[in-house]
């Protein structure tokens, strides 16, 4: 099962490449994946029905009870028949439905194949959370597929509507799944079903009932039951293959599958039957009624699908053996005939250019084979013998007759089912008449001939419909193991599927259905007049649009009153809430202060000095009237906190805090070059008092919150185990670093991912046209970039300036720090350049030492990366943006990617070797010269952290340093029009003068 999933998603990933080379014929290659999986599924029949189920489990996060657990039993096997079989045929159909000139075929094919894989994962998952992951994957992929025609407003609106409704239901379902898993103590679906009787009768019965309601909400939104049925007809804006697969055979069946999966265990809960039967019957009647009002043959089928989804929900949720048998039988029959009819609609639309029954006329005479295929599908939908729909519907009638007799619920339930079946017969006849009949006064439709390859998929499905009806025994054998789950000692075994059961009450109900359905079809004009009397405001879609509109209006009203553009207002609200709520909780708790409070640690008077420095820095930052002074004072508070860490015996934290403060100070100073130097006094009058009050209240409240929090501990801190875990499990003496790269590696990986995203965000804001992975030294003349001129030799001015500087370097080989010659004299410092030459390499080596020594001594990848970033900062300050380019031949984006990839590889490699994600290993070996070496594999993860941090520092220097430098240079180039010497290759005048002076000096020495 895992292999089937992997192949689906792997081929989906490369599908766009196939379409670039082979065009629409690539759909045949994609169809081969579910087709091969379908063959594999058939080969698993004996194993599934002999052993009861096939299971596959791959441990993922055992501590959270998260496993990749899959289980193929009778229900999953039957559902997989639809998912894989119909999926393969729909993909084959797509090869002739679309044209090579159609846009986005690669993405469409990839999404459709990935959807097949997600549905297969959903029906085979044996873990509630894993099932939910696949559930939401189908939601996202259906959104993309519905919105395939992205230039059409109706497609985008319908896709968003489907996403909103199904996602809302999915979130409710997630809460229910978590409650159910917590109550059961496991998330394994089969284990929960085994525990269901005890859960319902036990003390957690109330929570289980609530969980069942929430899970059913997810099911009814996914399967488009009232009152959420409106999204499915709207989704008909999708291409017809999508409608045939997602909205007839696969996605909308997900809710039906979930009801069928949980029914053996939870059909006895109090809220189950009222929701399943009530909403199911309402949906059946509403969908059938609305289908009779449609003039678009695709919408007739869409509302018919809504009706029959309600019908199936009622049957599979009834909780009896007969209903379980009938429900799965009808689910298979519905998938066959409804997919057939949707594919037929696609052919009609493709060949005739319309789906309107008021414009279609005489299509039967132009496409008899198509009409025969459609007639088989429509007759099966109406329940006409000897087709699959008839066999399934007879068993449904029989199940409801038995349930009515046994439960004494009265005739209303059975009568509603019969009424819904009458509506089904009527709209089935309306579909055939509207699509193929000759209509008086309507011109014959110009219908292009249908090629056999185009008709093949619906023809195969219709043939299977006939075969199922004539020989239902195989289907009966597939379903019986599932139906037997509902049999207890007081019940007899479920019945069997058969084409002829004799003269039974169910057969009588079928006859009534045919007669009244025909009467309703022939009296369609009278029915239409009655439907016209219904007020137009009775429409769920309109209610949805009004609800969304009201939410938008409310959001606009709230936004206008809260998002005022005032930083004072925002901070006031945030800080007020942040101290009022905790302060209220502290006052209501009315607990005394913890014992043993002291102002400073005994024997550590320097803490008082550090604290005074922090306070002075904070007050000075508030009172500063220059931006640079304010930032400098803020950094003083940071350095004071670093000193506090050092005094408390936390050298790692102190080192990291000091390096972070330094990098932040550099970033602020670089950014402030674009801002006015002075700070305008925005504090005055009553606002000054309010700010002081809020600031003091927040600070004091947080002090007491920290005191109470530290004194509220009653359990032994988990951190006390960290030293032993760090040494024995992580192989290191530095608890902080081992915690970051081993014990809490997931947290660290998330943090460096955020760093990469933040760096990309900064670069995206600065480099508007692209990420700017390398320092830009030029732009093409063709793009008309301001301030760029090309010299006579074809090299850009910036490159020429740098090349000239290299010519007059003191050393001709491996010359570096030569870009200082490109700086203006007032910006150049020879002393700074000399100092940089002396310390740059030492700082880089020291950063590597921190990286490699961090497992046992203060340091680590984060501290080492920050140190290397400071080295690059010094080199940039000494030589400018050209020197930064020379110092970093690899771009920041590349470094970020390499770092993330290294960390991810360090985490996934143990999984491939049979271990767990981010599991580390200790390698001990002896090397000549070095002696005994102990290497911990988590160091590789730390190397990834080091590279990411270096990439982040480089991105800051590029964005806030080099790019702003370039902006400063451009206006002067435009306004002053610097001269260019034809012989100098377009070198700026100041660079040329420097070069001439250097050349004269060189000749004098010679």
């Amino acid at each position: 099962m895992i292999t089937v999933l992997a192949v689906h998603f792997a081929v989906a990933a490369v599908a766009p490449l196939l379409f670039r080379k082979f065009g629409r014929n690539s759909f045949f290659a994609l169809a081969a994946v579910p087709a091969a999986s379908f063959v594999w599924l058939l080969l698993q029949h004996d194993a599934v029905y002999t052993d009861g189920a096939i299971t596959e489990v791959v441990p993922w996060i055992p501590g959270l009870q998260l496993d990749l657990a899959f289980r193929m039993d009778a229900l999953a096997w039957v559902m997989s028949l639809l998912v894989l079989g119909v999926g393969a045929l729909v993909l084959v159909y797509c090869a002739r439905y679309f044209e090579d000139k159609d846009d986005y075929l690669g993405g469409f094919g990839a999404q459709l194949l990935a959807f097949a894989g997600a549905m297969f994962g959903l029906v085979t998952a044996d873990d509630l959370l894993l099932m939910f992951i696949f559930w939401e994957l189908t939601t996202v992929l259906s959104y993309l597929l519905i919105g395939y025609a992205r230039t059409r407003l109706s497609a985008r609106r319908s896709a968003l509507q489907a996403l909103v409704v199904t996602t809302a239901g999915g979130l409710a379902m997630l809460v229910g799944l978590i409650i159910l898993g917590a109550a059961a103590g496991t998330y394994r679906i089969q284990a929960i079903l085994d525990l269901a009787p005890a859960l319902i009768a036990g003390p957690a019965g109330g929570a289980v009932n609530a969980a069942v309601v929430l899970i059913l909400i997810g099911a009814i939104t996914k399967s488009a039951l009232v009152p959420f049925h409106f999204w499915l007809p709207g989704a008909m804006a999708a291409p017809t293959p999508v409608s045939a697969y997602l909205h007839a055979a696969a996605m909308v069946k997900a809710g039906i599958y979930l009801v069928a999966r949980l029914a053996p265990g939870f059909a006895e809960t109090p809220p189950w039957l009222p929701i399943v039967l009530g909403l199911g019957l309402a949906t059946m009647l509403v969908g059938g009624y609305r289908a009779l009002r449609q003039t678009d043959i695709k919408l007739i089928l869409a509302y018919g699908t809504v009706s029959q989804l309600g019908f199936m929900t009622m049957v599979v949720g009834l909780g009896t053996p007969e209903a379980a048998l009938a429900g799965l039988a009808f689910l298979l029959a519905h998938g066959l005939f409804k997919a057939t009819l949707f594919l037929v609609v696609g052919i009609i639309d493709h060949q005739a250019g319309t789906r309107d029954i008021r414009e279609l006329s005489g299509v039967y005479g132009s496409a008899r084979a198509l009409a025969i295929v459609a007639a088989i599908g429509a007759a099966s939908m109406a329940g006409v013998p000897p087709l699959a729909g008839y066999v399934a519907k007879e068993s449904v009638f029989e199940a409801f007759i038995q349930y009515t007799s046994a439960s004494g619920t009265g005739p209303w339930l059975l009568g509603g089912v019969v009424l819904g079946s009458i509506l089904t017969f009527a709209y089935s006849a309306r579909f055939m008449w509207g699509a193929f009949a000759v209509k008086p006064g309507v011109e014959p439709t110009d219908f292009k001939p249908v090629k056999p390859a185009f008709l093949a998929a619906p023809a195969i499905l219709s043939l299977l419909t006939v075969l199922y009806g004539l020989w239902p025994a195989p289907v009966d054998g597939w379903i019986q193991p599932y139906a037997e789950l509902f049999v207890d000692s007081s019940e007899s075994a479920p019945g069997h599927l058969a084409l002829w059961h004799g003269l039974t009450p169910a057969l009588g109900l079928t006859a009534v259905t045919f007669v009244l359905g025909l009467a309703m079809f022939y009296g369609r004009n009278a029915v239409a007049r009655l439907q016209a009397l219904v007020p137009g405001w009775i429409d769920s879609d309109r209610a949805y649009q009004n609800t969304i509109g009201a939410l938008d209006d409310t959001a606009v009203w709230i936004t206008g009153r809260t998002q005022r553009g005032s930083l004072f207002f925002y901070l006031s609200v945030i800080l007020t809430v942040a101290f009022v709520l905790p302060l209220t909780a502290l006052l209501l708790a009315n607990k005394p202060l913890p014992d043993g409070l002291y102002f400073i640690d005994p024997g550590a008077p320097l803490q008082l000095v550090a604290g005074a420095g922090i306070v002075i820095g904070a007050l000075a930052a508030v009172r500063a009237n220059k931006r640079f002074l304010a930032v400098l004072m803020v950094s003083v508070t940071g350095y004071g906190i670093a000193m506090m860490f050092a005094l408390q015996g936390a050298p790692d934290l102190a080192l990291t805090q000091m390096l972070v403060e330094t990098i932040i100070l550099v970033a602020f100073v670089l950014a402030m070059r674009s801002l006015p130097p002075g700070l305008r006094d925005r504090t005055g009058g009553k606002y000054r008092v309010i700010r002081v009050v809020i600031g003091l209240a927040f600070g004091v409240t947080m002090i007491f919150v920290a005191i109470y929090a530290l004194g509220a501990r009653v359990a032994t801190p988990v951190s006390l185990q960290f030293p032993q875990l760090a040494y024995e499990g992580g192989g290191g003496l530095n608890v902080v670093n081992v915690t970051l790269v081993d014990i809490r590696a997931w947290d660290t990986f998330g943090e460096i991912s955020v760093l990469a995203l933040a760096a990309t965000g900064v670069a995206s804001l600065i480099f508007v046209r692209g990420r700017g992975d390398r320092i830009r030294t030029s732009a093409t003349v063709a793009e008309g970039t301001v301030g760029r001129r090309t010299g006579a030799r074809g090299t850009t001015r910036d490159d020429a300036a740098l090349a000239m500087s290299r010519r007059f370097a003191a050393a001709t080989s491996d010359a570096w720090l030569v870009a200082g010659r490109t700086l203006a004299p007032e910006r150049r410092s020879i002393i700074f350049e000399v100092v940089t030459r002396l310390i740059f390499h030492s700082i880089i080596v020291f950063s590597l030492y921190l990286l490699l020594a961090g497992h046992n001594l203060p340091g680590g990848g984060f501290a080492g990366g920050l140190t290397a970033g400071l080295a690059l900062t010094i080199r940039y300050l000494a030589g400018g943006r050209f020197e930064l380019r020379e110092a970093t031949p690899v771009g920041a984006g590349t470094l970020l990617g390499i770092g993330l990839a290294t960390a991810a590889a360090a985490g996934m490699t143990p999984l491939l070797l049979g271990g767990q994600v981010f599991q580390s290993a200790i390698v001990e070996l002896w090397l000549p010269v070095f002696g005994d070496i102990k290497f911990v594999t988590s160091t590789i993860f730390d190397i990834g952290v080091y590279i990411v941090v270096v990439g982040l520092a480089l991105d800051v220097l590029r964005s806030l340093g080099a790019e702003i430098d370039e902006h400063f240079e451009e206006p002067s180039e435009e306004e002053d029009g610097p001269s260019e010497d034809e012989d100098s290759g377009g070198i700026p005048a100041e660079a040329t003068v420097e070069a001439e002076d250097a050349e004269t000096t060189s000749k004098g020495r010679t």
Side-chain angles (χ1 to χ4, degrees):
M1 288 176 277
I2 295 177
T3 303
V4 170
L5 284 171
V7 171
H8 272 78
F9 288 115
V11 176
V14 300
L17 301 178
L18 295 176
F19 278 88
R20 290 179 189 175
K21 185 171 182 61
F22 302 107
R24 65 175 184 172
N25 289 329
S26 300
F27 279 113
F28 291 123
L30 300 189
V33 176
S37 302
F38 184 81
V39 173
W40 169 85
L41 183 69
L42 295 178
L43 295 176
Q44 306 308 307
H45 175 273
D46 292 344
V48 171
Y49 286 90
T50 300
D51 301 332
I54 302 173
T55 59
E56 293 182 16
V57 180
V58 176
W60 184 17
I61 309 177
L64 298 178
Q65 299 183 23
L66 291 179
D67 297 322
L68 301 178
F70 298 91
R71 188 173 188 270
M72 176 78 73
D73 57 5
L75 176 59
W77 194 84
V78 170
M79 286 295 301
S80 298
L81 286 177
L82 273 181
V83 170
L84 298 175
V86 177
L89 291 175
V90 168
L91 284 167
V92 169
Y93 174 88
C94 288
R96 291 299 169 260
Y97 178 83
F98 292 101
E99 303 291 341
D100 284 326
K101 62 183 179 181
D102 291 332
D103 295 330
Y104 316 119
L105 280 188
F108 176 85
Q111 293 156 12
L112 196 57
L113 183 60
F115 181 88
M119 272 301 301
F120 179 77
L122 191 156
V123 300
T124 56
D126 192 34
D127 182 274
L128 291 178
L129 298 181
L130 181 64
M131 183 196 69
F132 178 77
I133 291 173
F134 287 114
W135 183 282
E136 290 303 295
L137 274 177
T138 61
T139 297
V140 173
L141 290 169
S142 69
Y143 164 74
L144 297 173
L145 290 167
I146 294 170
Y148 166 73
R150 60 197 70 183
T151 58
R152 287 169 43 200
L153 179 61
S154 60
R156 299 200 303 271
R157 173 187 173 276
S158 299
L160 184 60
Q161 184 184 70
L163 180 69
V164 169
V165 173
T166 54
T167 300
L171 292 175
M173 186 183 79
L174 176 60
V175 176
L177 295 177
I178 293 174
I179 294 174
L180 187 59
T186 178
Y187 285 93
R188 290 291 182 86
I189 296 175
Q190 189 56 44
I192 292 174
L193 292 176
D194 294 337
L195 295 171
L199 292 174
I200 296 172
V208 171
N209 291 337
V212 166
V213 172
L214 292 171
I215 293 171
L216 288 178
I217 290 174
I220 64 178
T221 53
K222 196 78 161 182
S223 291
L225 267 64
V226 169
F228 306 106
H229 63 285
F230 53 86
W231 74 261
L232 181 57
M236 294 303 111
T240 300
V242 174
S243 303
Y245 190 38
L246 275 68
H247 307 135
M251 187 183 102
V252 291
K253 296 290 199 311
I256 308 298
Y257 162 77
L258 186 59
V259 173
R261 175 59 73 190
L262 297 181
F266 298 97
E268 301 296 327
T269 56
W272 183 276
L273 285 181
I275 294 176
V276 169
L277 296 181
L279 295 182
L281 182 58
T283 304
M284 186 180 186
L285 298 178
V286 169
Y289 164 80
R290 293 299 301 268
L292 291 174
R293 298 185 62 178
Q294 305 307 313
T295 57
D296 185 329
I297 55 176
K298 192 174 183 181
L299 286 180
I300 293 174
L301 295 181
Y303 280 103
T305 301
V306 169
S307 175
Q308 288 167 331
L309 287 170
F311 189 34
M312 283 184 280
T313 302
M314 294 173 64
V315 184
V316 299
L318 198 56
T320 66
E322 294 77 13
L325 179 73
L328 286 196
F330 191 78
L331 183 144
L332 276 177
H334 178 268
L336 293 176
F337 65 68
K338 192 54 68 74
T340 299
L341 294 174
F342 270 114
L343 296 182
V344 166
V345 167
I347 294 175
I348 293 174
D349 190 16
H350 192 276
Q351 304 301 101
T354 182
R355 302 192 304 255
D356 196 325
I357 61 175
R358 295 165 297 185
E359 299 176 5
L360 291 169
S361 179
V363 175
Y364 172 75
S366 303
R368 299 196 176 209
L370 180 66
I372 292 172
V373 169
I376 293 173
S380 182
M381 182 165 63
V384 176
L387 302 174
Y390 167 77
V391 172
K393 191 169 288 188
E394 283 288 288
S395 63
V396 171
F397 283 163
E398 185 64 34
F400 276 105
I401 290 172
Q402 293 188 21
Y403 177 78
T404 302
S405 174
S407 63
T409 55
W412 66 270
L413 183 60
L414 183 59
V417 171
V418 173
L419 178 57
S421 300
I422 293 170
L423 294 173
T424 300
F425 190 97
Y427 66 68
S428 300
R430 178 179 176 82
F431 171 83
M432 286 302 298
W433 168 80
F436 296 98
V438 175
K439 303 177 181 66
V442 180
E443 291 291 328
T445 302
D446 184 15
F447 199 85
K448 303 174 185 177
V450 182
K451 296 181 179 179
F454 200 6
L455 187 58
I460 292 173
L461 290 170
S462 64
L463 180 62
L464 292 174
T465 299
V466 175
L467 184 62
Y468 176 4
L470 294 175
W471 187 36
V475 177
D476 182 76
W478 300 338
I479 299 173
Q480 284 293 338
Y482 172 73
E484 290 170 358
L485 296 176
F486 295 85
V487 178
D488 57 29
S489 58
S490 62
E491 294 179 335
S492 59
H496 294 274
L497 299 177
L499 181 60
W500 175 253
H501 287 283
L503 299 176
T504 62
L507 184 62
L509 293 179
T510 298
V512 171
T513 299
F514 290 173
V515 172
L516 296 182
L518 283 172
M520 183 172 284
F521 168 69
Y522 282 111
R524 56 185 175 273
N525 293 330
V527 172
R529 286 192 294 270
L530 288 175
Q531 290 181 325
L533 299 177
V534 178
W537 57 266
I538 303 179
D539 189 337
S540 295
D541 183 63
R542 182 173 297 180
Y544 167 82
Q545 297 301 332
N546 291 337
T547 302
I548 296 299
L551 288 175
D552 287 341
D553 293 341
T554 304
V556 170
W557 183 85
I558 293 175
T559 302
R561 283 153 182 79
T562 57
Q563 301 297 315
R564 301 181 178 181
S566 169
L567 182 60
F568 163 71
F569 177 78
Y570 299 154
L571 291 177
S572 298
V573 172
I574 293 171
L575 296 179
T576 301
V577 173
F579 82 78
V580 167
L581 292 181
L583 182 61
T584 303
L586 291 177
L587 293 176
L588 292 177
N590 195 25
K591 290 185 178 181
L593 288 171
D595 297 330
L597 293 179
Y598 52 85
F599 189 66
I600 61 172
D601 282 337
L606 286 178
Q607 285 186 354
L608 188 61
V609 176
I614 293 172
V615 173
I616 293 172
L619 294 176
V622 173
R623 299 293 300 168
N625 57 2
K626 298 290 185 181
R627 294 183 191 275
F628 175 76
L629 181 60
V631 171
L632 189 61
M633 290 300 102
V634 171
S635 294
V636 168
T637 64
Y639 288 126
I641 294 173
M643 186 177 178
M644 282 286 194
F645 288 149
L647 294 173
Q648 286 295 108
D652 265 294
L653 296 180
L655 176 63
T656 303
Q657 175 72 19
M658 184 184 68
L659 293 172
V660 168
E661 283 298 329
T662 306
I663 286 287
I664 290 177
L665 177 61
V666 171
F668 268 112
V669 171
L670 291 176
M672 285 191 304
R673 294 180 298 163
S674 300
L675 300 175
L679 276 173
R680 182 167 56 90
D681 186 9
R682 296 183 293 273
T683 307
K686 59 181 180 181
Y687 293 124
R688 182 189 297 273
V689 176
I690 293 174
R691 293 182 187 202
V692 171
V693 170
I694 292 176
L696 290 175
F698 176 78
V700 172
T701 301
M702 290 302 108
I703 290 173
F704 283 97
V705 167
I707 291 173
Y708 277 106
L710 292 173
R713 184 185 297 278
V714 295
T716 302
V718 67
S719 59
L720 295 179
Q721 302 176 10
F722 276 21
Q724 181 179 359
L725 289 173
Y727 183 73
E728 296 179 358
L733 297 174
N734 185 348
V735 178
V736 175
N737 185 256
V738 175
T739 300
L740 292 176
V741 300
D742 190 316
I743 301 175
R744 298 183 62 185
W746 276 107
D747 288 350
T748 306
F749 187 76
E751 290 165 2
I752 62 174
S753 300
V754 170
L755 286 178
L757 289 174
T760 302
V762 171
S764 299
L765 289 173
I766 302 298
F767 303 98
V768 179
R769 293 188 178 181
R771 199 190 184 291
D773 200 42
R774 290 295 308 274
I775 300 298
R776 285 194 299 135
T777 58
S778 62
T780 58
V781 176
E783 292 179 352
T785 305
V786 177
R788 297 283 175 253
R789 293 180 176 86
T790 303
R793 298 192 182 100
T795 58
T796 59
R797 300 174 55 202
D798 293 345
D799 287 341
L802 189 56
M804 183 62 73
S805 297
R806 286 199 195 99
R807 284 181 56 190
F808 294 97
T812 57
S813 61
D814 297 328
W816 70 285
L817 204 61
V818 298
R821 297 176 179 275
T822 63
L823 297 176
E826 64 272 13
R827 292 183 56 192
R828 189 178 180 190
S829 171
I830 300 300
I831 296 177
F832 195 16
E833 290 184 20
V834 172
V835 171
T836 302
R837 288 177 180 273
L838 292 174
I839 67 173
F840 175 80
H841 299 91
S842 299
I843 297 177
I844 292 294
V845 172
F846 181 63
S847 74
L848 295 175
Y849 165 78
L850 290 176
L851 166 64
L852 298 176
H855 214 64
N856 295 292
L857 298 172
F862 195 76
L866 289 173
T867 304
L870 288 176
L872 293 175
T873 302
I874 294 173
R875 190 161 175 181
Y876 160 72
L877 294 175
R881 62 190 179 94
F882 295 131
E883 190 59 41
L884 182 63
R885 174 193 176 191
E886 290 296 294
T888 54
V890 179
T894 304
L895 284 175
L896 291 169
I898 292 173
L900 280 177
T902 302
M908 295 303 296
T909 302
L911 184 64
L912 300 177
L913 298 177
Q916 298 179 12
V917 179
F918 288 116
Q919 180 178 351
S920 61
I922 302 173
V923 181
E924 296 185 4
L925 65 159
W926 182 88
L927 295 175
V929 179
F930 296 98
D932 292 326
I933 299 294
K934 185 173 83 170
F935 177 77
V936 185
T937 55
S938 59
T939 304
I940 300 174
F941 178 84
D942 215 10
I943 292 173
V945 175
Y946 176 91
I947 297 173
V948 167
V949 175
V950 174
L952 174 66
L954 180 58
D955 228 348
V956 170
L957 293 175
R958 291 182 324 104
S959 303
L960 302 179
E963 185 68 10
I964 293 179
D965 288 345
E966 199 168 2
H967 289 320
F968 282 154
E969 294 170 6
E970 286 177 357
S972 62
E973 292 175 359
E974 282 182 325
E975 296 167 6
D976 301 337
S979 61
E980 298 179 8
D981 188 349
E982 191 77 12
D983 295 331
S984 65
I987 303 173
E990 61 269 21
T992 306
V993 170
E994 280 198 39
E996 291 173 354
D997 292 342
E999 187 173 3
T1000 302
T1001 304
S1002 176
K1003 290 179 179 178
R1005 289 175 180 170
T1006 302

